[in-house]
Amino acid sequence: RVLDALELSWDDVAQASVPAQADIVLVPRDGYASGARSSAEGYVNGDGESSALERDPYPRDELARLTGMNPERFRSCTVIGDSLVPEVPPNTRAIYVPVETHVGDGLYVVAIDDALVVKRIQRLADGTLKLLPYNPDYEPETLTPVKDADTENTYRTETGAIAIVRFVGKVVYYPKAA
């Protein structure tokens, strides 16, 4: 909004404020994802929020060094909720690489129905997903695949509810307190 008011672009800011030898990448921010108590408490983006995709500047070389990956594909979201405390405090910006499937246990951004959540996910041999909190005050959650479902990625929650689970990205970086 400030850039629009000043009639500037991110490129203008990058050229004016970053030394010539530094190279930045503008990581698109997708809004919020909940690190809440359970998957049922996810965050639904787009309800009255700006539809303009915001971007955050990061040093390209530093992101590549920290993640071992090319940062051009990265996305980010702001983690809300406290099930990932103390590892990931609320309002932490998490950077992820988009994925469509589980690619090894770890921290993921997933859409459960229409709500985004950030959870540590472990996939068991039968396809069951274990959503694991870092916060010891919270219990793990189990999502069991529905084998005969008409829709792909259909899971049954512990309460018996049916949910569609879609992998959005695997978290590759988030800042940690010193």
Side-chain angles (χ1 to χ4, degrees):
R1 293 179 189 148
V2 171
L3 292 176
D4 290 340
L6 297 174
E7 298 180 3
L8 294 172
S9 71
W10 273 112
D11 291 336
D12 297 328
V13 173
Q15 291 171 3
S17 65
V18 178
Q21 69 272 16
D23 190 15
I24 63 167
V25 61
L26 298 174
V27 177
R29 186 173 352 122
D30 291 333
Y32 298 93
S34 178
R37 176 179 297 272
S38 72
S39 63
E41 299 175 26
Y43 191 88
V44 178
N45 288 290
D47 294 340
E49 297 171 24
S50 170
S51 61
L53 190 66
E54 297 183 39
R55 298 174 183 273
D56 297 314
Y58 290 93
R60 182 184 316 277
D61 292 343
E62 191 64 11
L63 273 184
R65 183 186 70 78
L66 290 168
T67 65
M69 304 173 83
N70 179 351
E72 293 301 324
R73 293 187 52 228
F74 290 168
R75 311 282 292 191
S76 75
C77 64
T78 302
V79 179
I80 59 174
D82 65 349
S83 78
L84 300 175
V85 168
E87 182 65 19
V88 184
N91 298 315
T92 296
R93 190 73 39 83
I95 296 176
Y96 64 91
V97 62
V99 297
E100 295 179 4
T101 62
H102 184 270
V103 291
D105 296 347
L107 200 58
Y108 282 88
V109 178
V110 294
I112 300 180
D113 293 329
D114 292 327
L116 287 183
V117 298
V118 177
K119 294 288 183 183
R120 265 190 320 153
I121 297 181
Q122 177 185 34
R123 176 172 250 146
L124 305 180
D126 66 353
T128 296
L129 300 177
K130 297 284 283 184
L131 282 58
L132 306 167
Y134 282 109
N135 189 330
D137 294 338
Y138 300 140
E139 296 293 322
E141 186 176 359
T142 302
L143 300 174
T144 307
V146 177
K147 302 288 188 207
D148 58 348
D150 293 336
T151 306
E152 283 187 76
N153 303 317
T154 301
Y155 290 81
R156 185 174 313 281
T157 69
E158 291 174 343
T159 63
I162 298 294
I164 305 299
V165 178
R166 180 178 53 85
F167 284 87
V168 174
K170 185 165 187 180
V171 175
V172 294
Y173 174 77
Y174 51 91
K176 294 183 181 183

